[in-house]
Amino acid sequence: MCKNGRQMQFHQNENRSQGRLGRGQGVSDRGGLATAVGYPLDTIKVRIQTQHMYSGVWHCIQSTYQREKVYGFYKGMALPVLSVSVCGSVCFGTYRNCLNFLSHLRQSSSEVKPARLDVFIAGCSAGTAEAVVFAPIDLIKIRQQNQTHPHQSYQGPLSRDLLSKPKYRGSIHCLITVIKEEGVLGLYRGITALWLRDIPCFGLYFLVYSIFTEWLTPQGQHKPDGTATLLAGGCAGMTYWTLATPMDVMKSRMQMDGMGQQRYSGVLNCIRESFRQEGTRVFFKGLSLNCVRAFPVNGLTFVIYETVLAFLRKINLKD
């Protein structure tokens, strides 16, 4: 089979599963495992981006473990793990529905290989939709990750930060407190920066995955194998975070801004002040951690994604 024919068959097989997948069912199973795998690195990344008490990644890891033990790396994980199914459904469901719509609009059929521009636009749409659902969850997660109160077994010297009790006792308490102190819109603090991060980067995320799966699918096969999917997903994740990290720093800082005296009046002010105080390097804080975490987490995400697609195809064939 020629390359173009193989690519078309690959996309035809994928689109046959759209009926259930497009409504967000099944993809939610990419779930908590992928989140839990990378969560400790995410905690370190968030603290480096938003706090000035750490000299580097290793210092942050040492300090967190010394004061907070293993629990310190998993603060605030409950809500992201429990809600990842919703975010996954919104993201992948929006992507597939938008891609099918564009294929019908341009070519009157979803049974043909979608144009790369359509893949990019569908990815941007997915980023737009997911940010609306993800913003409150992310804010609550980041607020809890930045609580550096010590573990009860800690016997070391107590600084000002360590003497204070945690402001939030859990995800629900954090949610209620933010709404009480900052209003419902407080849950969406930093969403502009989140959109500036996710809209273009999700477009490239799905585009890179699509390109790599085509390249890595062996001649004569209609879909990539597990290794190819893992590699394509990992490369897509690393591409996403390489481009997303500068705005990710701004987003995290704006989300933390509501805990005390407000420092930033908006995204542009946050960018200006961060650059003025810390220089160009501020835009790359956490980049190495993002890339290390991105490959296994996103590789696993797409392996589960393709596994669910294959399962839905079998169901559709039976129907």
Side-chain angles (χ1 to χ4, degrees):
M1 181 182 291
C2 68
K3 184 176 181 181
N4 289 338
R6 174 166 54 88
Q7 292 172 354
M8 182 176 295
Q9 184 64 42
F10 168 76
H11 287 283
Q12 287 174 348
N13 288 341
E14 184 179 22
N15 285 332
R16 288 191 185 109
S17 63
Q18 163 61 21
R20 289 180 175 85
L21 179 64
R23 291 188 289 272
Q25 300 174 9
V27 169
S28 60
D29 293 336
R30 73 179 182 140
L33 179 59
T35 301
V37 166
Y39 199 85
L41 293 179
D42 183 69
T43 298
I44 300 303
K45 182 262 297 185
V46 167
R47 292 187 173 189
I48 288 174
Q49 288 178 339
T50 57
Q51 300 182 29
H52 302 287
M53 59 189 291
Y54 304 112
S55 60
V57 173
W58 184 242
H59 179 229
C60 184
I61 294 173
Q62 285 181 314
S63 298
T64 299
Y65 181 75
Q66 180 184 17
R67 297 170 177 176
E68 305 165 59
K69 304 306 177 184
V70 175
Y71 170 72
F73 298 99
Y74 291 93
K75 287 181 178 178
M77 190 178 74
L79 186 59
V81 169
L82 293 175
S83 61
V84 69
S85 60
V86 177
C87 293
S89 296
V90 171
C91 178
F92 282 90
T94 301
Y95 170 72
R96 290 304 314 159
N97 278 326
C98 184
L99 190 60
N100 268 15
F101 172 77
L102 292 173
S103 296
H104 277 289
L105 185 65
R106 293 178 185 273
Q107 305 174 28
S108 300
S109 174
S110 62
E111 295 295 312
V112 296
K113 176 178 175 265
R116 287 180 177 175
L117 178 60
D118 291 347
V119 173
F120 177 77
I121 294 173
C124 291
S125 299
T128 304
E130 188 189 42
V132 176
V133 178
F134 181 66
I137 298 168
D138 193 45
L139 182 138
I140 292 170
K141 172 186 76 73
I142 284 179
R143 294 279 179 97
Q144 292 183 88
Q145 284 175 318
N146 274 301
Q147 294 191 132
T148 56
H149 57 284
H151 189 268
Q152 59 185 5
S153 62
Y154 176 67
Q155 300 295 327
L158 294 175
S159 66
R160 179 182 176 184
D161 291 334
L162 293 178
L163 282 171
S164 60
K165 293 182 179 180
K167 181 175 182 178
Y168 308 116
R169 298 192 297 270
S171 297
I172 301 300
H173 182 252
C174 181
L175 172 66
I176 295 172
T177 303
V178 171
I179 294 175
K180 182 179 179 180
E181 295 181 352
E182 306 171 46
V184 175
L185 292 180
L187 295 171
Y188 288 90
R189 187 183 296 274
I191 193 172
T192 301
L194 182 59
W195 269 327
L196 290 174
R197 185 195 78 176
D198 280 358
I199 292 175
C201 292
F202 260 112
L204 291 171
Y205 177 68
F206 282 103
L207 180 60
V208 169
Y209 176 74
S210 177
I211 292 172
F212 269 82
T213 51
E214 290 178 6
W215 287 350
L216 295 172
T217 300
Q219 189 74 24
Q221 292 188 18
H222 300 152
K223 62 177 182 177
D225 57 23
T227 301
T229 300
L230 184 67
L231 289 173
C235 290
M238 291 184 68
T239 300
Y240 173 94
W241 281 112
T242 299
L243 300 173
T245 295
M247 197 53 63
D248 184 58
V249 177
M250 301 303 111
K251 171 200 70 70
S252 297
R253 293 187 170 197
M254 293 189 69
Q255 288 173 324
M256 284 298 298
D257 211 22
M259 286 192 70
Q261 183 179 1
Q262 186 169 337
R263 300 169 57 191
Y264 310 116
S265 59
V267 178
L268 292 179
N269 180 253
C270 183
I271 294 173
R272 284 195 300 265
E273 288 300 310
S274 297
F275 176 74
R276 183 179 65 82
Q277 296 175 14
E278 301 172 62
T280 307
R281 66 185 180 88
V282 70
F283 300 111
F284 301 98
K285 283 192 170 184
L287 175 60
S288 59
L289 288 172
N290 279 335
C291 289
V292 169
R293 181 172 62 96
F295 196 94
V297 169
N298 290 278
L300 179 60
T301 294
F302 275 104
V303 167
I304 298 173
Y305 171 69
E306 294 292 352
T307 302
V308 172
L309 279 176
F311 175 72
L312 293 177
R313 290 187 196 110
K314 291 180 180 179
I315 294 178
N316 287 338
L317 290 174
K318 292 179 180 179
D319 291 345

